[in-house]
Each structure stands twice: as structure tokens, then as C-alpha cells.
Amino acid sequence: MEFIHQNLYWIVPLALALGFLAAAFIWKRLPPPEVSSPGQEIPPPEQPDAETVPAVPAPAAPPALPPSPATEPEPSAPEREEPATPDYDGGLKRTRGIFARLRSILAGQPAIGPSTWDDLEELLITADIGVKTTEALISQVRAKKPKDPDAVRQELRVAILKILETVEHADPVQTGLKPRVVMIAGVNGVGKTTTIGKIAHHYRKAGLSLMLGAADTFRAAAVDQLDVWCQRTGAEIVRGRENADPSGVAYESVEQAKKRGMDVLIVDTAGRLHTATNLMEELKKVKRVIGKAMEGAPHEVWLVVDGTTGQNAISQVREFHQALALTGLIVTKLDGTSKGGALISIVNEFRLPVRYIGVGERLADLTPFDPGRFVSEIFREGE
Ligand code: GDP
């Protein structure tokens, strides 16, 4: 007892320390505390990122991308809410409005004469068909010598369809190439990012494996948006650092798509540069570099144009076609315009296929362009 009293100064701290260690030992062996509370989900364990983002260029250590989903991935909740088909009807309602006026304009004419052609010309120009194509259409209709308003309308319909059918519009998806490389161009704001998401959705629904090369490295927000589309559609993405060399990203995406045996690679490109470099020169370079990574690529070069901008869209087609030798177009926002006629003059002037049209903002609102259907929609009566 005396010994304890004399040595209290070290026995007490030792006992406390031993007690603390024992408590810590027991605590570690207890089960973890429940963190959920009513209405609050327990977060799942952290998963590795679905898309590996390689630093571009990274030829020495190519990133390990996740395996390609063999089947259509389970759609995310918002996608499940989306209808599967585009709203073609609603989408072309406004353009239809212009052509619906045709009947009332013609009905007011006592006989077919010079004023008929003046009124028709005005109507077609209002629908943004453009002077050149309007003149071509009117001369074709006049040549048929229609006797009454119904015949004028019918001949106009035939003449428009004839223009649109001079070109094979269908997207030649299955060509046995792995990957089939589609380069997409378009100035900012035309709906390029949304359209790429819609195409990804369309191709994935067709059971094709798809990779996206996000070579518009100047718009971080647009790249993030593409990332989201990829997650939603089960496509893969190769993206570079912000402001990275677009050609480097394009090259790397072709390499990755080849390595991964992708059916399709879509390469997004810049619509505006933040440097002094000329946009067309930069895009030509991207195209050349894609060709270096894979002989014969890109197999398609599509320009996205905004259907509401009418004759502006025509000058964009001219400029991009000159630089890139386009193989197709996608005309967006046809739901938001009464000027869907620009599409007719684009086909008339450039003889370029319209691969797809955009008729709304949802993923499903993209549809292959079908001239017969387009013409019947815009000439449909009663609405
Ligand atoms: P980007 O700058 O060319 O990439 O354009 P975005 O893809 O960001 O689209 C610009 C805006 O146009 C967005 O609000 C889109 O939702 C909208 N948009 C794109 N395509 C269509 C379409 O077919 N119809 C309608 N109504 N809006 C569209």
C-alpha cells in the first residue's frame, strides 16, 4: 500500500493510458454507425469514373477505357420519360402554316395570272426559300400551265419534291468500317452539342457502339454537356484539357476508337476559336489529322445549321463546304420556325444530303430526313 502511495505520480498516468488504449480497441471492433435518416439515401460506395479522360496527346500510356456495353444500356430516369419518336407533326407546324396560306391566297384569285405568280413568289420568299430557288420553282410550276389554284398548289408540291429528291439523303450507317468516323462542324449556337447527343442516342438505339471525340476544346461547358449525353446514351468519350490542340484530341479519339473496335466515332469540332487562328484553317487541319490517324477518314463531314436562320444558314453551308467538302447536313430547330423553306434552297443550291433534321430539344427529336414526308407535312391541310 505504501509502495502505491509513494509511486502514485507514475501509476495513475499509466492506468489512464492503459484504460484509453482498451477503450480505443473496443471502439474499433464495434459496427459502423447507421448514417441514413428518413428520406435520406445512403450514398453508394464510390465508383471509378465511367469515362476515362486521357490527357491529350497521350500516345505512350493510352488510357484504359471501360468495356463497350454490348447491349443498349439501361436508360437513366430522365431518358425513360422521353418519348421514343420525334415530334415530326408538331415540329413542322410553323412551316406548315406558311404553306397553308397558299390555298387562301390562291382562292382569292379570279384566274391564274401575273398576280398569282407575284403572290406565290412573295409567299415562297417569306418561307425563306430564297430568290434563286423561288424563281426556279415558279418557272417549273408555270411551265405546267396549271388551270386553277389547286393545280398550282399540286405543281408546287411536285416541284419542291423534285428538288429534294435529287439527292440521296439517307445516312449510310452500315459500311463495315470500324470505326466509321463522322466529323461534325457548325458555328456556336446552331444546336451542334444537342444534335451530337441526339445522334449518339439514335446510333446507340440502333445497337452501334459509339465514341465521341470532344475536339471543341474551347468550350468546357459544351464538353461537359457531351459527357452527360455520353453517360445517358452509353457512349464513350475522349476529351482533352481545356484549350488543348483540337487536332490532338481528334487524333487520339481515332486511335482510341480503333483500339476499342467502335462502330462509330463522332468528332465534335469548334464553332469559334479564341485564338487568332482562322477557324476554317483549324478545321481543315483537324480533318487532315483524322485522315492521318485512319486512312480514308473522316468518312462523313456534316455541318449542323440552324433552320431558323434561313439565308444565314446558306452562307454557312457555302463557307464550310468550300473548306471541308461536306458530305451532309443536319438542319436543326425546324420546330421553331415558319421558315423551314431554307432547307429546300440549301438542297437546291448545294445538292448536299440532309442526313437528319432536328424538330425539338429532346434527345428523341432528331429524325432522318425524308423528302416525301417533309413535303406532305408542310402541305398538310387543316391546321
Ligand atoms: P451549340 O452552341 O451549337 O452547341 O448549341 P446547343 O446544342 O448548345 O443548342 C443551343 C440551343 O438550341 C439549346 O437551347 C438547345 O436546346 C436548342 N436546340 C438544339 N436543337 C434544337 C431543335 O431541334 N429544336 C429546338 N427547338 N431547339 C433546339
Side-chain angles (χ1 to χ4, degrees):
M1 213 47 185
E2 199 173 323
F3 170 80
I4 293 170
H5 274 283
Q6 282 171 0
N7 294 284
L8 263 180
Y9 66 95
W10 63 266
I11 289 176
V12 172
L14 179 69
L16 283 173
L18 284 173
F20 180 77
L21 281 174
F25 181 78
I26 292 162
W27 178 255
K28 272 191 85 175
R29 270 164 172 67
L30 284 175
E34 192 81 54
V35 289
S36 68
S37 58
Q40 178 192 346
E41 271 189 28
I42 303 171
E46 239 177 63
Q47 295 288 330
D49 259 3
E51 280 81 35
T52 307
V53 182
V56 175
L65 287 159
S68 171
T71 50
E72 175 73 5
E74 185 67 17
S76 62
E79 199 173 328
R80 262 196 295 272
E81 288 159 15
E82 298 231 6
T85 50
D87 185 8
Y88 212 107
D89 266 25
L92 294 175
K93 214 173 209 156
R94 295 201 189 178
T95 295
R96 188 153 69 228
I98 288 277
F99 285 91
R101 271 180 48 210
L102 187 60
R103 184 177 282 275
S104 53
I105 285 174
L106 293 175
Q109 310 267 336
I112 305 300
S115 68
T116 310
W117 310 119
D118 289 348
D119 289 348
L120 187 56
E121 183 174 3
E122 194 190 320
L123 181 94
L124 296 178
I125 289 180
T126 316
D128 230 335
I129 293 195
V131 178
K132 200 169 146 189
T133 306
T134 294
E135 281 172 2
L137 284 171
I138 290 183
S139 76
Q140 281 182 53
V141 175
R142 286 186 81 155
K144 299 286 177 187
K145 299 193 174 14
K147 298 275 182 293
D148 55 57
D150 269 351
V152 172
R153 209 167 172 276
Q154 181 53 27
E155 290 305 338
L156 179 64
R157 187 180 168 141
V158 169
I160 290 178
L161 190 60
K162 200 168 143 197
I163 288 179
L164 296 178
E165 284 185 335
T166 48
V167 182
E168 176 57 63
H169 298 279
D171 175 2
V173 179
Q174 300 289 6
T175 57
L177 295 157
K178 267 188 184 281
R180 172 172 177 259
V181 183
V182 183
M183 177 176 167
I184 307 260
V187 304
N188 290 356
V190 294
K192 183 162 60 83
T193 313
T194 313
T195 298
I196 290 174
K198 289 175 179 175
I199 301 174
H201 177 68
H202 180 74
Y203 282 170
R204 292 289 298 128
K205 258 177 63 189
L208 298 167
S209 58
L210 183 114
M211 184 177 274
L212 205 83
D216 182 358
T217 54
F218 304 104
R219 292 199 305 169
V223 175
D224 289 345
Q225 183 59 49
L226 289 178
D227 220 334
V228 172
W229 292 137
C230 282
Q231 282 167 30
R232 285 180 63 180
T233 59
E236 294 175 13
I237 188 166
V238 171
R239 51 186 288 180
R241 280 185 299 270
E242 206 174 337
N243 296 331
D245 176 18
S247 304
V249 181
Y251 188 90
E252 180 61 18
S253 60
V254 179
E255 289 291 297
Q256 288 297 329
K258 279 198 296 191
K259 205 162 127 201
R260 313 257 316 126
M262 290 286 154
D263 294 314
V264 183
L265 168 69
I266 294 177
V267 181
D268 183 25
T269 60
R272 192 162 75 88
L273 297 181
H274 294 219
T275 60
T277 328
N278 176 283
L279 176 63
M280 293 304 151
E281 290 310 313
E282 186 67 53
L283 294 178
K284 282 192 218 172
K285 183 175 157 200
V286 169
K287 191 180 173 194
R288 271 197 313 276
V289 166
I290 290 175
K292 277 185 191 157
M294 180 179 184
E295 208 187 319
H299 308 98
E300 296 279 328
V301 184
W302 296 345
L303 179 71
V304 181
V305 288
D306 178 340
T308 65
T309 61
Q311 298 305 301
N312 236 353
I314 295 203
S315 42
Q316 286 165 17
V317 175
R318 186 170 295 115
E319 198 183 355
F320 279 81
H321 193 31
Q322 211 165 28
L324 298 173
L326 301 172
T327 64
L329 302 168
I330 298 173
V331 183
T332 63
K333 309 189 195 180
L334 283 178
D335 54 312
T337 183
S338 58
K339 304 191 168 196
L343 185 149
I344 302 163
S345 55
I346 289 174
V347 174
N348 187 43
E349 286 194 34
F350 301 99
R351 301 279 186 245
L352 277 169
V354 177
R355 300 295 192 203
Y356 296 95
I357 57 173
V359 290
E361 292 185 79
R362 303 160 314 162
L363 274 188
D365 290 331
L366 180 90
T367 179
F369 178 64
D370 173 348
R373 191 163 177 200
F374 181 79
V375 171
S376 359
E377 285 298 329
I378 62 176
F379 276 87
R380 211 165 77 179
E381 294 288 332
E383 282 156 72

